[in-house]
mmCIF file of all heavy atoms in Angstrom:
data_model
loop_
_atom_site.group_PDB
_atom_site.id
_atom_site.type_symbol
_atom_site.label_atom_id
_atom_site.label_comp_id
_atom_site.label_asym_id
_atom_site.label_seq_id
_atom_site.Cartn_x
_atom_site.Cartn_y
_atom_site.Cartn_z
ATOM 1 N N MET A 17 12.044 8.834 -19.583
ATOM 2 C CA MET A 17 12.203 7.756 -20.487
ATOM 3 C C MET A 17 11.428 7.952 -21.767
ATOM 4 O O MET A 17 11.849 7.515 -22.849
ATOM 5 C CB MET A 17 11.743 6.475 -19.869
ATOM 6 C CG MET A 17 12.716 5.912 -18.798
ATOM 7 S SD MET A 17 12.121 4.432 -18.074
ATOM 8 C CE MET A 17 12.267 3.287 -19.450
ATOM 9 N N ALA A 18 10.286 8.606 -21.702
ATOM 10 C CA ALA A 18 9.432 8.702 -22.910
ATOM 11 C C ALA A 18 9.823 9.860 -23.749
ATOM 12 O O ALA A 18 10.132 10.932 -23.225
ATOM 13 C CB ALA A 18 7.984 8.921 -22.468
ATOM 14 N N PRO A 19 9.819 9.604 -25.083
ATOM 15 C CA PRO A 19 10.087 10.764 -26.035
ATOM 16 C C PRO A 19 8.808 11.643 -26.036
ATOM 17 O O PRO A 19 7.740 11.204 -25.554
ATOM 18 C CB PRO A 19 10.299 10.082 -27.346
ATOM 19 C CG PRO A 19 9.676 8.729 -27.236
ATOM 20 C CD PRO A 19 9.698 8.345 -25.733
ATOM 21 N N PRO A 20 8.888 12.784 -26.636
ATOM 22 C CA PRO A 20 7.700 13.660 -26.719
ATOM 23 C C PRO A 20 6.702 13.080 -27.711
ATOM 24 O O PRO A 20 6.764 13.329 -28.938
ATOM 25 C CB PRO A 20 8.246 14.970 -27.159
ATOM 26 C CG PRO A 20 9.523 14.667 -27.814
ATOM 27 C CD PRO A 20 10.063 13.445 -27.148
ATOM 28 N N PHE A 21 5.826 12.273 -27.215
ATOM 29 C CA PHE A 21 4.870 11.601 -28.077
ATOM 30 C C PHE A 21 3.896 12.526 -28.763
ATOM 31 O O PHE A 21 3.397 12.251 -29.907
ATOM 32 C CB PHE A 21 4.089 10.572 -27.323
ATOM 33 C CG PHE A 21 4.806 9.250 -27.099
ATOM 34 C CD1 PHE A 21 5.100 8.885 -25.763
ATOM 35 C CD2 PHE A 21 5.118 8.469 -28.110
ATOM 36 C CE1 PHE A 21 5.809 7.726 -25.534
ATOM 37 C CE2 PHE A 21 5.880 7.320 -27.875
ATOM 38 C CZ PHE A 21 6.197 6.911 -26.643
ATOM 39 N N GLY A 22 3.590 13.711 -28.187
ATOM 40 C CA GLY A 22 2.651 14.612 -28.760
ATOM 41 C C GLY A 22 2.998 15.053 -30.146
ATOM 42 O O GLY A 22 2.179 15.025 -31.129
ATOM 43 N N CYS A 23 4.208 15.482 -30.361
ATOM 44 C CA CYS A 23 4.697 15.964 -31.632
ATOM 45 C C CYS A 23 4.684 14.817 -32.619
ATOM 46 O O CYS A 23 4.299 15.014 -33.817
ATOM 47 C CB CYS A 23 6.085 16.533 -31.484
ATOM 48 S SG CYS A 23 6.156 17.991 -30.478
ATOM 49 N N ASN A 24 5.084 13.641 -32.215
ATOM 50 C CA ASN A 24 5.186 12.535 -33.121
ATOM 51 C C ASN A 24 3.783 12.076 -33.521
ATOM 52 O O ASN A 24 3.492 11.706 -34.701
ATOM 53 C CB ASN A 24 5.861 11.302 -32.489
ATOM 54 C CG ASN A 24 7.351 11.654 -32.218
ATOM 55 O OD1 ASN A 24 7.916 12.507 -32.911
ATOM 56 N ND2 ASN A 24 7.923 10.962 -31.266
ATOM 57 N N LEU A 25 2.789 12.182 -32.605
ATOM 58 C CA LEU A 25 1.455 11.691 -32.896
ATOM 59 C C LEU A 25 0.815 12.710 -33.885
ATOM 60 O O LEU A 25 0.086 12.274 -34.769
ATOM 61 C CB LEU A 25 0.598 11.615 -31.614
ATOM 62 C CG LEU A 25 1.066 10.499 -30.727
ATOM 63 C CD1 LEU A 25 0.240 10.546 -29.434
ATOM 64 C CD2 LEU A 25 0.873 9.134 -31.358
ATOM 65 N N CYS A 26 1.049 14.021 -33.710
ATOM 66 C CA CYS A 26 0.531 14.932 -34.693
ATOM 67 C C CYS A 26 1.075 14.714 -36.070
ATOM 68 O O CYS A 26 0.371 14.834 -37.126
ATOM 69 C CB CYS A 26 0.791 16.386 -34.204
ATOM 70 S SG CYS A 26 -0.169 16.829 -32.777
ATOM 71 N N LEU A 27 2.367 14.470 -36.152
ATOM 72 C CA LEU A 27 3.015 14.147 -37.433
ATOM 73 C C LEU A 27 2.450 12.950 -38.057
ATOM 74 O O LEU A 27 2.153 12.849 -39.267
ATOM 75 C CB LEU A 27 4.546 13.980 -37.228
ATOM 76 C CG LEU A 27 5.384 13.737 -38.518
ATOM 77 C CD1 LEU A 27 5.239 14.896 -39.464
ATOM 78 C CD2 LEU A 27 6.778 13.447 -38.154
ATOM 79 N N MET A 28 2.221 11.861 -37.261
ATOM 80 C CA MET A 28 1.705 10.604 -37.789
ATOM 81 C C MET A 28 0.266 10.867 -38.308
ATOM 82 O O MET A 28 -0.132 10.265 -39.330
ATOM 83 C CB MET A 28 1.737 9.565 -36.678
ATOM 84 C CG MET A 28 3.035 8.995 -36.358
ATOM 85 S SD MET A 28 3.074 7.869 -34.990
ATOM 86 C CE MET A 28 1.985 6.602 -35.488
ATOM 87 N N LYS A 29 -0.547 11.627 -37.630
ATOM 88 C CA LYS A 29 -1.874 11.934 -38.057
ATOM 89 C C LYS A 29 -1.854 12.649 -39.378
ATOM 90 O O LYS A 29 -2.625 12.404 -40.295
ATOM 91 C CB LYS A 29 -2.678 12.761 -37.022
ATOM 92 C CG LYS A 29 -4.042 13.154 -37.425
ATOM 93 C CD LYS A 29 -4.902 11.980 -37.742
ATOM 94 C CE LYS A 29 -6.284 12.455 -38.223
ATOM 95 N NZ LYS A 29 -6.887 11.552 -39.236
ATOM 96 N N ALA A 30 -0.899 13.573 -39.593
ATOM 97 C CA ALA A 30 -0.855 14.340 -40.786
ATOM 98 C C ALA A 30 -0.407 13.432 -41.991
ATOM 99 O O ALA A 30 -0.809 13.675 -43.098
ATOM 100 C CB ALA A 30 0.172 15.505 -40.670
ATOM 101 N N MET A 31 0.385 12.487 -41.691
ATOM 102 C CA MET A 31 0.912 11.616 -42.735
ATOM 103 C C MET A 31 -0.003 10.339 -42.999
ATOM 104 O O MET A 31 0.210 9.657 -44.027
ATOM 105 C CB MET A 31 2.319 11.146 -42.417
ATOM 106 C CG MET A 31 3.364 12.246 -42.371
ATOM 107 S SD MET A 31 4.905 11.769 -41.795
ATOM 108 C CE MET A 31 5.324 10.424 -42.866
ATOM 109 N N ALA A 32 -0.896 10.039 -42.101
ATOM 110 C CA ALA A 32 -1.707 8.837 -42.170
ATOM 111 C C ALA A 32 -2.762 8.968 -43.291
ATOM 112 O O ALA A 32 -3.220 10.090 -43.656
ATOM 113 C CB ALA A 32 -2.428 8.592 -40.848
ATOM 114 N N PRO A 33 -3.182 7.806 -43.853
ATOM 115 C CA PRO A 33 -4.182 7.847 -44.824
ATOM 116 C C PRO A 33 -5.520 8.334 -44.228
ATOM 117 O O PRO A 33 -5.652 8.373 -43.030
ATOM 118 C CB PRO A 33 -4.348 6.353 -45.213
ATOM 119 C CG PRO A 33 -3.113 5.727 -44.846
ATOM 120 C CD PRO A 33 -2.553 6.493 -43.662
ATOM 121 N N LYS A 34 -6.517 8.658 -45.021
ATOM 122 C CA LYS A 34 -7.729 9.251 -44.578
ATOM 123 C C LYS A 34 -8.537 8.366 -43.644
ATOM 124 O O LYS A 34 -9.238 8.869 -42.796
ATOM 125 C CB LYS A 34 -8.615 9.588 -45.783
ATOM 126 C CG LYS A 34 -8.019 10.599 -46.675
ATOM 127 C CD LYS A 34 -8.056 12.055 -46.096
ATOM 128 C CE LYS A 34 -7.539 12.985 -47.079
ATOM 129 N NZ LYS A 34 -7.158 14.260 -46.476
ATOM 130 N N GLY A 35 -8.386 7.078 -43.736
ATOM 131 C CA GLY A 35 -9.164 6.126 -42.905
ATOM 132 C C GLY A 35 -8.652 5.982 -41.552
ATOM 133 O O GLY A 35 -9.318 5.298 -40.632
ATOM 134 N N ILE A 36 -7.500 6.473 -41.200
ATOM 135 C CA ILE A 36 -6.932 6.308 -39.862
ATOM 136 C C ILE A 36 -7.383 7.415 -38.976
ATOM 137 O O ILE A 36 -7.254 8.612 -39.295
ATOM 138 C CB ILE A 36 -5.357 6.344 -39.941
ATOM 139 C CG1 ILE A 36 -4.851 5.257 -40.941
ATOM 140 C CG2 ILE A 36 -4.725 6.175 -38.622
ATOM 141 C CD1 ILE A 36 -5.136 3.830 -40.542
ATOM 142 N N THR A 37 -7.902 7.049 -37.813
ATOM 143 C CA THR A 37 -8.466 8.010 -36.868
ATOM 144 C C THR A 37 -7.396 8.310 -35.827
ATOM 145 O O THR A 37 -6.464 7.552 -35.651
ATOM 146 C CB THR A 37 -9.717 7.481 -36.191
ATOM 147 O OG1 THR A 37 -9.365 6.385 -35.359
ATOM 148 C CG2 THR A 37 -10.750 7.111 -37.163
ATOM 149 N N PRO A 38 -7.519 9.460 -35.136
ATOM 150 C CA PRO A 38 -6.566 9.685 -33.996
ATOM 151 C C PRO A 38 -6.583 8.613 -32.917
ATOM 152 O O PRO A 38 -5.622 8.303 -32.365
ATOM 153 C CB PRO A 38 -7.110 11.043 -33.442
ATOM 154 C CG PRO A 38 -7.779 11.687 -34.592
ATOM 155 C CD PRO A 38 -8.365 10.575 -35.360
ATOM 156 N N GLY A 39 -7.766 8.020 -32.708
ATOM 157 C CA GLY A 39 -7.832 6.913 -31.796
ATOM 158 C C GLY A 39 -7.041 5.738 -32.164
ATOM 159 O O GLY A 39 -6.389 5.049 -31.307
ATOM 160 N N ASP A 40 -6.961 5.442 -33.475
ATOM 161 C CA ASP A 40 -6.050 4.358 -33.973
ATOM 162 C C ASP A 40 -4.594 4.687 -33.689
ATOM 163 O O ASP A 40 -3.862 3.785 -33.258
ATOM 164 C CB ASP A 40 -6.236 4.174 -35.472
ATOM 165 C CG ASP A 40 -7.651 3.660 -35.817
ATOM 166 O OD1 ASP A 40 -8.233 3.005 -34.999
ATOM 167 O OD2 ASP A 40 -8.025 3.990 -36.973
ATOM 168 N N ILE A 41 -4.229 5.904 -33.844
ATOM 169 C CA ILE A 41 -2.824 6.352 -33.680
ATOM 170 C C ILE A 41 -2.466 6.337 -32.226
ATOM 171 O O ILE A 41 -1.450 5.769 -31.801
ATOM 172 C CB ILE A 41 -2.625 7.677 -34.230
ATOM 173 C CG1 ILE A 41 -2.719 7.660 -35.773
ATOM 174 C CG2 ILE A 41 -1.212 8.287 -33.906
ATOM 175 C CD1 ILE A 41 -2.694 9.014 -36.454
ATOM 176 N N TYR A 42 -3.373 6.803 -31.328
ATOM 177 C CA TYR A 42 -3.146 6.807 -29.861
ATOM 178 C C TYR A 42 -3.070 5.354 -29.363
ATOM 179 O O TYR A 42 -2.261 5.033 -28.499
ATOM 180 C CB TYR A 42 -4.223 7.586 -29.151
ATOM 181 C CG TYR A 42 -4.037 9.023 -29.356
ATOM 182 C CD1 TYR A 42 -5.115 9.815 -29.773
ATOM 183 C CD2 TYR A 42 -2.883 9.705 -29.029
ATOM 184 C CE1 TYR A 42 -5.008 11.136 -30.003
ATOM 185 C CE2 TYR A 42 -2.787 11.073 -29.147
ATOM 186 C CZ TYR A 42 -3.823 11.797 -29.638
ATOM 187 O OH TYR A 42 -3.669 13.137 -29.853
ATOM 188 N N SER A 43 -3.959 4.490 -29.857
ATOM 189 C CA SER A 43 -3.914 3.100 -29.379
ATOM 190 C C SER A 43 -2.589 2.376 -29.819
ATOM 191 O O SER A 43 -2.228 1.405 -29.184
ATOM 192 C CB SER A 43 -5.113 2.269 -29.815
ATOM 193 O OG SER A 43 -5.201 2.271 -31.198
ATOM 194 N N SER A 44 -1.989 2.841 -30.896
ATOM 195 C CA SER A 44 -0.809 2.167 -31.445
ATOM 196 C C SER A 44 0.424 2.426 -30.511
ATOM 197 O O SER A 44 1.385 1.659 -30.575
ATOM 198 C CB SER A 44 -0.494 2.598 -32.810
ATOM 199 O OG SER A 44 -0.058 3.947 -32.834
ATOM 200 N N ILE A 45 0.435 3.437 -29.695
ATOM 201 C CA ILE A 45 1.522 3.723 -28.801
ATOM 202 C C ILE A 45 1.460 2.984 -27.456
ATOM 203 O O ILE A 45 2.388 2.999 -26.699
ATOM 204 C CB ILE A 45 1.805 5.181 -28.560
ATOM 205 C CG1 ILE A 45 0.639 5.824 -27.767
ATOM 206 C CG2 ILE A 45 2.022 5.928 -29.829
ATOM 207 C CD1 ILE A 45 1.009 7.153 -27.178
ATOM 208 N N VAL A 46 0.343 2.370 -27.155
ATOM 209 C CA VAL A 46 0.119 1.710 -25.843
ATOM 210 C C VAL A 46 1.255 0.639 -25.577
ATOM 211 O O VAL A 46 1.754 0.620 -24.503
ATOM 212 C CB VAL A 46 -1.281 1.093 -25.790
ATOM 213 C CG1 VAL A 46 -1.427 0.238 -24.548
ATOM 214 C CG2 VAL A 46 -2.304 2.235 -25.691
ATOM 215 N N PRO A 47 1.557 -0.245 -26.527
ATOM 216 C CA PRO A 47 2.612 -1.229 -26.224
ATOM 217 C C PRO A 47 3.984 -0.548 -25.887
ATOM 218 O O PRO A 47 4.636 -1.031 -24.980
ATOM 219 C CB PRO A 47 2.739 -2.034 -27.534
ATOM 220 C CG PRO A 47 1.460 -1.835 -28.231
ATOM 221 C CD PRO A 47 0.980 -0.501 -27.861
ATOM 222 N N MET A 48 4.296 0.521 -26.535
ATOM 223 C CA MET A 48 5.559 1.161 -26.251
ATOM 224 C C MET A 48 5.558 1.795 -24.898
ATOM 225 O O MET A 48 6.570 1.678 -24.173
ATOM 226 C CB MET A 48 5.827 2.283 -27.328
ATOM 227 C CG MET A 48 7.060 3.005 -27.131
ATOM 228 S SD MET A 48 8.513 1.954 -27.287
ATOM 229 C CE MET A 48 9.807 3.152 -27.050
ATOM 230 N N VAL A 49 4.475 2.442 -24.509
ATOM 231 C CA VAL A 49 4.365 3.001 -23.166
ATOM 232 C C VAL A 49 4.424 1.932 -22.088
ATOM 233 O O VAL A 49 5.044 2.084 -21.086
ATOM 234 C CB VAL A 49 3.123 3.852 -23.052
ATOM 235 C CG1 VAL A 49 2.871 4.403 -21.661
ATOM 236 C CG2 VAL A 49 3.158 5.065 -24.066
ATOM 237 N N LEU A 50 3.812 0.826 -22.362
ATOM 238 C CA LEU A 50 3.785 -0.286 -21.382
ATOM 239 C C LEU A 50 5.196 -0.782 -21.217
ATOM 240 O O LEU A 50 5.632 -1.065 -20.107
ATOM 241 C CB LEU A 50 2.821 -1.405 -21.804
ATOM 242 C CG LEU A 50 1.361 -0.996 -21.641
ATOM 243 C CD1 LEU A 50 0.483 -2.239 -22.139
ATOM 244 C CD2 LEU A 50 0.916 -0.758 -20.198
ATOM 245 N N LEU A 51 5.896 -1.022 -22.313
ATOM 246 C CA LEU A 51 7.306 -1.533 -22.255
ATOM 247 C C LEU A 51 8.176 -0.524 -21.422
ATOM 248 O O LEU A 51 9.066 -0.929 -20.657
ATOM 249 C CB LEU A 51 7.898 -1.798 -23.574
ATOM 250 C CG LEU A 51 7.309 -2.992 -24.256
ATOM 251 C CD1 LEU A 51 7.830 -3.061 -25.727
ATOM 252 C CD2 LEU A 51 7.746 -4.267 -23.503
ATOM 253 N N MET A 52 7.937 0.747 -21.683
ATOM 254 C CA MET A 52 8.813 1.754 -20.927
ATOM 255 C C MET A 52 8.522 1.704 -19.489
ATOM 256 O O MET A 52 9.402 1.870 -18.637
ATOM 257 C CB MET A 52 8.558 3.170 -21.557
ATOM 258 C CG MET A 52 9.251 3.310 -22.875
ATOM 259 S SD MET A 52 9.203 5.020 -23.509
ATOM 260 C CE MET A 52 7.506 5.401 -23.539
ATOM 261 N N ARG A 53 7.192 1.570 -19.124
ATOM 262 C CA ARG A 53 6.840 1.470 -17.692
ATOM 263 C C ARG A 53 7.394 0.239 -17.011
ATOM 264 O O ARG A 53 7.880 0.269 -15.920
ATOM 265 C CB ARG A 53 5.324 1.578 -17.527
ATOM 266 C CG ARG A 53 4.835 2.938 -17.776
ATOM 267 C CD ARG A 53 3.376 2.985 -17.470
ATOM 268 N NE ARG A 53 2.951 4.353 -17.786
ATOM 269 C CZ ARG A 53 1.733 4.825 -17.472
ATOM 270 N NH1 ARG A 53 0.802 4.034 -16.930
ATOM 271 N NH2 ARG A 53 1.352 6.101 -17.730
ATOM 272 N N ILE A 54 7.386 -0.862 -17.782
ATOM 273 C CA ILE A 54 7.941 -2.120 -17.167
ATOM 274 C C ILE A 54 9.449 -1.926 -17.002
ATOM 275 O O ILE A 54 9.995 -2.285 -15.986
ATOM 276 C CB ILE A 54 7.693 -3.331 -18.139
ATOM 277 C CG1 ILE A 54 6.149 -3.671 -18.109
ATOM 278 C CG2 ILE A 54 8.516 -4.480 -17.811
ATOM 279 C CD1 ILE A 54 5.734 -4.637 -19.163
ATOM 280 N N GLY A 55 10.145 -1.258 -17.959
ATOM 281 C CA GLY A 55 11.542 -0.996 -17.813
ATOM 282 C C GLY A 55 11.792 -0.156 -16.641
ATOM 283 O O GLY A 55 12.800 -0.404 -15.867
ATOM 284 N N LEU A 56 11.012 0.919 -16.359
ATOM 285 C CA LEU A 56 11.197 1.820 -15.246
ATOM 286 C C LEU A 56 11.005 1.090 -13.970
ATOM 287 O O LEU A 56 11.764 1.264 -13.038
ATOM 288 C CB LEU A 56 10.231 2.944 -15.384
ATOM 289 C CG LEU A 56 10.311 4.059 -14.286
ATOM 290 C CD1 LEU A 56 11.661 4.649 -14.251
ATOM 291 C CD2 LEU A 56 9.199 5.046 -14.488
ATOM 292 N N VAL A 57 10.035 0.188 -13.870
ATOM 293 C CA VAL A 57 9.757 -0.565 -12.635
ATOM 294 C C VAL A 57 10.906 -1.527 -12.417
ATOM 295 O O VAL A 57 11.400 -1.675 -11.188
ATOM 296 C CB VAL A 57 8.401 -1.335 -12.761
ATOM 297 C CG1 VAL A 57 8.315 -2.393 -11.652
ATOM 298 C CG2 VAL A 57 7.262 -0.386 -12.702
ATOM 299 N N LEU A 58 11.468 -2.172 -13.444
ATOM 300 C CA LEU A 58 12.629 -3.040 -13.241
ATOM 301 C C LEU A 58 13.811 -2.272 -12.749
ATOM 302 O O LEU A 58 14.536 -2.849 -11.859
ATOM 303 C CB LEU A 58 12.917 -3.747 -14.615
ATOM 304 C CG LEU A 58 12.026 -4.895 -14.999
ATOM 305 C CD1 LEU A 58 12.409 -5.392 -16.388
ATOM 306 C CD2 LEU A 58 12.120 -6.024 -13.971
ATOM 307 N N VAL A 59 14.036 -1.118 -13.233
ATOM 308 C CA VAL A 59 15.146 -0.267 -12.739
ATOM 309 C C VAL A 59 15.017 0.109 -11.331
ATOM 310 O O VAL A 59 15.868 0.114 -10.539
ATOM 311 C CB VAL A 59 15.382 0.873 -13.724
ATOM 312 C CG1 VAL A 59 16.364 1.874 -13.035
ATOM 313 C CG2 VAL A 59 15.902 0.398 -15.020
ATOM 314 N N MET A 60 13.710 0.429 -10.989
ATOM 315 C CA MET A 60 13.477 0.789 -9.574
ATOM 316 C C MET A 60 13.606 -0.372 -8.576
ATOM 317 O O MET A 60 14.060 -0.261 -7.495
ATOM 318 C CB MET A 60 12.075 1.413 -9.486
ATOM 319 C CG MET A 60 11.931 2.751 -10.170
ATOM 320 S SD MET A 60 10.277 3.373 -10.306
ATOM 321 C CE MET A 60 9.801 3.609 -8.628
ATOM 322 N N VAL A 61 13.122 -1.568 -9.012
ATOM 323 C CA VAL A 61 13.186 -2.699 -8.163
ATOM 324 C C VAL A 61 14.587 -3.338 -8.077
ATOM 325 O O VAL A 61 15.085 -3.734 -7.047
ATOM 326 C CB VAL A 61 12.187 -3.785 -8.636
ATOM 327 C CG1 VAL A 61 12.330 -5.090 -7.879
ATOM 328 C CG2 VAL A 61 10.801 -3.224 -8.498
ATOM 329 N N PHE A 62 15.322 -3.341 -9.261
ATOM 330 C CA PHE A 62 16.633 -3.921 -9.324
ATOM 331 C C PHE A 62 17.648 -2.885 -9.812
ATOM 332 O O PHE A 62 18.129 -2.928 -10.897
ATOM 333 C CB PHE A 62 16.670 -5.077 -10.274
ATOM 334 C CG PHE A 62 15.700 -6.200 -9.938
ATOM 335 C CD1 PHE A 62 14.599 -6.387 -10.708
ATOM 336 C CD2 PHE A 62 15.870 -6.991 -8.889
ATOM 337 C CE1 PHE A 62 13.644 -7.386 -10.371
ATOM 338 C CE2 PHE A 62 15.004 -8.024 -8.537
ATOM 339 C CZ PHE A 62 13.820 -8.158 -9.305
ATOM 340 N N PRO A 63 18.027 -1.921 -8.952
ATOM 341 C CA PRO A 63 18.963 -0.923 -9.431
ATOM 342 C C PRO A 63 20.349 -1.360 -9.735
ATOM 343 O O PRO A 63 21.083 -0.766 -10.510
ATOM 344 C CB PRO A 63 19.034 0.130 -8.220
ATOM 345 C CG PRO A 63 18.575 -0.634 -7.051
ATOM 346 C CD PRO A 63 17.623 -1.704 -7.553
ATOM 347 N N ASP A 64 20.700 -2.555 -9.230
ATOM 348 C CA ASP A 64 21.997 -3.138 -9.645
ATOM 349 C C ASP A 64 22.133 -3.453 -11.083
ATOM 350 O O ASP A 64 23.231 -3.522 -11.631
ATOM 351 C CB ASP A 64 22.254 -4.367 -8.758
ATOM 352 C CG ASP A 64 22.525 -4.039 -7.259
ATOM 353 O OD1 ASP A 64 22.996 -2.896 -7.061
ATOM 354 O OD2 ASP A 64 22.320 -4.870 -6.415
ATOM 355 N N MET A 65 21.008 -3.669 -11.728
ATOM 356 C CA MET A 65 21.034 -3.910 -13.213
ATOM 357 C C MET A 65 21.677 -2.725 -13.910
ATOM 358 O O MET A 65 22.440 -2.950 -14.870
ATOM 359 C CB MET A 65 19.611 -4.083 -13.783
ATOM 360 C CG MET A 65 19.023 -5.402 -13.674
ATOM 361 S SD MET A 65 17.448 -5.637 -14.544
ATOM 362 C CE MET A 65 16.775 -4.063 -14.795
ATOM 363 N N VAL A 66 21.391 -1.569 -13.441
ATOM 364 C CA VAL A 66 21.843 -0.359 -14.123
ATOM 365 C C VAL A 66 23.255 0.061 -13.605
ATOM 366 O O VAL A 66 24.077 0.520 -14.416
ATOM 367 C CB VAL A 66 20.872 0.775 -13.890
ATOM 368 C CG1 VAL A 66 21.427 2.096 -14.502
ATOM 369 C CG2 VAL A 66 19.494 0.431 -14.385
ATOM 370 N N MET A 67 23.509 -0.245 -12.348
ATOM 371 C CA MET A 67 24.747 0.259 -11.766
ATOM 372 C C MET A 67 25.890 -0.791 -11.888
ATOM 373 O O MET A 67 27.009 -0.519 -11.397
ATOM 374 C CB MET A 67 24.531 0.564 -10.275
ATOM 375 C CG MET A 67 23.545 1.745 -10.069
ATOM 376 S SD MET A 67 23.995 3.182 -10.956
ATOM 377 C CE MET A 67 25.492 3.602 -10.129
ATOM 378 N N PHE A 68 25.678 -1.849 -12.513
ATOM 379 C CA PHE A 68 26.698 -2.957 -12.628
ATOM 380 C C PHE A 68 27.998 -2.449 -13.385
ATOM 381 O O PHE A 68 29.089 -2.512 -12.862
ATOM 382 C CB PHE A 68 26.126 -4.210 -13.293
ATOM 383 C CG PHE A 68 27.150 -5.192 -13.562
ATOM 384 C CD1 PHE A 68 27.741 -5.931 -12.537
ATOM 385 C CD2 PHE A 68 27.606 -5.452 -14.873
ATOM 386 C CE1 PHE A 68 28.669 -6.945 -12.791
ATOM 387 C CE2 PHE A 68 28.552 -6.372 -15.147
ATOM 388 C CZ PHE A 68 29.117 -7.141 -14.113
ATOM 389 N N LEU A 69 27.740 -1.908 -14.579
ATOM 390 C CA LEU A 69 28.886 -1.506 -15.355
ATOM 391 C C LEU A 69 29.608 -0.319 -14.766
ATOM 392 O O LEU A 69 30.883 -0.342 -14.778
ATOM 393 C CB LEU A 69 28.447 -1.214 -16.833
ATOM 394 C CG LEU A 69 28.260 -2.450 -17.621
ATOM 395 C CD1 LEU A 69 27.769 -1.993 -19.065
ATOM 396 C CD2 LEU A 69 29.576 -3.267 -17.822
ATOM 397 N N PRO A 70 28.916 0.732 -14.280
ATOM 398 C CA PRO A 70 29.735 1.804 -13.689
ATOM 399 C C PRO A 70 30.586 1.297 -12.473
ATOM 400 O O PRO A 70 31.719 1.803 -12.311
ATOM 401 C CB PRO A 70 28.669 2.807 -13.120
ATOM 402 C CG PRO A 70 27.461 2.485 -14.093
ATOM 403 C CD PRO A 70 27.553 1.072 -14.405
ATOM 404 N N ARG A 71 30.115 0.404 -11.749
ATOM 405 C CA ARG A 71 30.877 -0.175 -10.651
ATOM 406 C C ARG A 71 32.088 -0.941 -11.163
ATOM 407 O O ARG A 71 33.127 -0.918 -10.505
ATOM 408 C CB ARG A 71 30.018 -1.097 -9.808
ATOM 409 C CG ARG A 71 29.091 -0.320 -8.906
ATOM 410 C CD ARG A 71 28.401 -1.183 -7.888
ATOM 411 N NE ARG A 71 27.263 -0.542 -7.290
ATOM 412 C CZ ARG A 71 26.021 -1.008 -7.144
ATOM 413 N NH1 ARG A 71 25.761 -2.210 -7.567
ATOM 414 N NH2 ARG A 71 25.108 -0.284 -6.636
ATOM 415 N N VAL A 72 31.971 -1.611 -12.300
ATOM 416 C CA VAL A 72 33.071 -2.384 -12.838
ATOM 417 C C VAL A 72 34.148 -1.444 -13.283
ATOM 418 O O VAL A 72 35.341 -1.811 -13.056
ATOM 419 C CB VAL A 72 32.557 -3.305 -14.006
ATOM 420 C CG1 VAL A 72 33.701 -3.877 -14.769
ATOM 421 C CG2 VAL A 72 31.614 -4.362 -13.528
ATOM 422 N N PHE A 73 33.812 -0.370 -13.899
ATOM 423 C CA PHE A 73 34.824 0.541 -14.495
ATOM 424 C C PHE A 73 35.348 1.530 -13.511
ATOM 425 O O PHE A 73 36.295 2.287 -13.831
ATOM 426 C CB PHE A 73 34.280 1.210 -15.728
ATOM 427 C CG PHE A 73 34.108 0.240 -16.887
ATOM 428 C CD1 PHE A 73 32.830 -0.092 -17.301
ATOM 429 C CD2 PHE A 73 35.174 -0.330 -17.440
ATOM 430 C CE1 PHE A 73 32.659 -0.986 -18.370
ATOM 431 C CE2 PHE A 73 35.090 -1.208 -18.502
ATOM 432 C CZ PHE A 73 33.774 -1.515 -18.964
ATOM 433 N N LEU A 74 34.754 1.690 -12.341
ATOM 434 C CA LEU A 74 35.245 2.728 -11.362
ATOM 435 C C LEU A 74 36.051 2.038 -10.257
ATOM 436 O O LEU A 74 36.259 1.269 -9.710
ATOM 437 C CB LEU A 74 34.108 3.496 -10.770
ATOM 438 C CG LEU A 74 33.467 4.463 -11.740
ATOM 439 C CD1 LEU A 74 32.305 5.219 -11.082
ATOM 440 C CD2 LEU A 74 34.437 5.488 -12.238
#
């Protein structure tokens, strides 16, 4: 589910102003990672959410 965050974080650090630390950049991805984990748990707990449309069209 997760994109390759390492490359993106290095690019963000290179483009960020001088006052932005790597810690600031790493802490900015926490909400995205949490949302992806919540989505993964929802898919694992309720697999019918994902399989509904394939069942309709097959």
